[in-house]
Amino acid sequence: MSYLFPTYARWEVEPVSAEGTYLTDINGITYLDYTSGIGVCNLGHQPKVIKEAVSKQLDHFWHVSNLFTIGQQEKAAQLLATAAGLEAVFFANSGAEANEAAIKLARKATGKTKIITFEKSFHGRTFATMAATGQDKIKLGYGPMLEKFVYVPFNNIDALKNEMDTDVAAIMLEVIQGEGGIHVGEQAFLQEVEELCKEYGSLLIIDEIQTGIGRTAKPFAFQHFDLTPDIVTVAKGLGSGLPIGAVIGKESLKVHFGPGSHGSTFGGNPVSISAAIATMEIIFNEIFLQEVLIKGEYLVSQLTKKLQNHESVKDIRGLGLMIGIEFDQPVQGLLQELRNEGFLALSAGENVLRLLPPLTTSISEIDKCVEIMKHTIEKTSKAAV
Ligand SMILES: Cc1ncc(COP(=O)(O)O)c(C=O)c1O
C-alpha cells in the first residue's frame, strides 16, 4: 500500500539514477528522457555546473530569512529582469505561487478586479491560479472559485474584445499553451492583446512557466512575438530542478509590492538561487540558444519526415524544443508503449504527445527519439488493426 495521496497516475518507472538525457530505473532499464521532469531539467539531469554552484552555496549557508540583504538574490533578479527587459523581481517557490503573486500584484496595481484568461490555459492549482486556468477538469469539486475570472477562446481577438471593459486588471496568457496541448499563439493576435491592454489600462501578464528559460530558443517565448509584457512569471527551468519561481515586472509596479504587501518564507532560498544563477549564466547566451533553435528545427523536420504520413498523426507543432504531436486518439497507450521501448515522453491534453527534451540533447539523441517514435507508432497501429 502507498501512503501517498493518489494525485498522480504514476508510471511503473522508479528512477535510481539519471545523468544528462538518460534515466535508469530500479530494474536497471535505461530510458531516453524527453520529459525533463516536465520542462524543469533544461540542462539535463545532474549538470555538473549546477551541482558545483549548489554545493558551494551549501558550504556557505542554506537559509536566512528575506529580512536579510541577500546579494545572490540581487544577482539572480538582475539576470532575470535584464533578460526579460523588465526591472523588478519577486522570488517564489513554484509556478503557481509566481502566478498567484502576479494576480495579486495586477489587482493591487490597477485597482481593478477582472482577470481575462484563455480556454485550455493552465496556470496552476492554488485557488487563484486554478480560477485562472481555462479547463473545467482542474476545478472539479473545488467550488466556489475565486470571482472575476473569465475565459475566452485562444487566438480569437473578437471574443476577447467582447470581454474587455474598464474593470479588467489583467489579461493573462501563455504564448504557447503547454498543458492544454501545445497551442502556439498567433503573432497578430498576441500583438492585439497587448494593444487592448494599453487601451483599457490593463496589465499584460505572460505566464512563461513552461515556455521560459530557453525552452523555445529565446530566454522567454514572448520574445518571438515582439511583445512588451507588464509582468512575466517563471518557474520550472529556472532552478534546473531546485524549487524556485519568480514574478518579473515593470519598475512602475515596485511601489505596489511594498514591505508587508506580499511575502514567502522560502521564496528566493539561497540554494535554489545559486542553481538559478548558474542556469541563467548558461542558457541566456546567444550561442547556446542558437543551438536550441537548430535542434528544435531538426527535431520537427525529422518528426515531420518520418511521421506525417502516418494516418493517426494529425499535426506536428511547437517552437524550439517544446513540441506537440497531435494524434487522432488519446495518447496514454502510446506513451506506455514508448516507455516499454525505453523512451519517456509526456501528454498535453488527451490527444497530444508532448516532447520537452533537455535543451542540451544531442542530434544523435534526436535521431534515436524519432526512430523509437516511428517504430512504436507503426507497431501500435498494426496491433490495433
Ligand atoms: C504554464 C504553466 N503555468 C503554471 C504552472 C504551475 O506550476 P507549478 O506546478 O510549479 O505550480 C505550470 C505547470 O505545469 C505551467 O505549465
Side-chain angles (χ1 to χ4, degrees), residues 38 94-97 99 122-124 174 179 207 209-210 235-236:
I38 317 190
S94 66
E97 273 183 57
N99 281 342
F122 182 78
H123 297 294
E174 303 152 84
E179 299 300 313
D207 177 339
I209 286 156
Q210 193 160 147
K236 286 192 182 286

Side-chain angles (χ1 to χ4, degrees), residues 6 10 19 39 58 63 69 90 108 112 133 138 169 171 175 189 191 199 208 221 226 289 305 313 335 360 369 375 379:
R10 291 177 191 269
E19 204 174 329
L58 287 171
H63 176 80
T69 299
F90 175 85
K108 192 154 186 282
K112 303 176 184 193
T133 293
I138 303 292
I171 300 177
V175 294
F189 168 76
Q191 284 180 345
E199 190 182 329
E208 291 268 1
D226 200 16
L289 292 171
K305 196 165 131 196
V313 174
L335 288 172
T360 48
C369 145
H375 157 83
K379 197 175 82 176

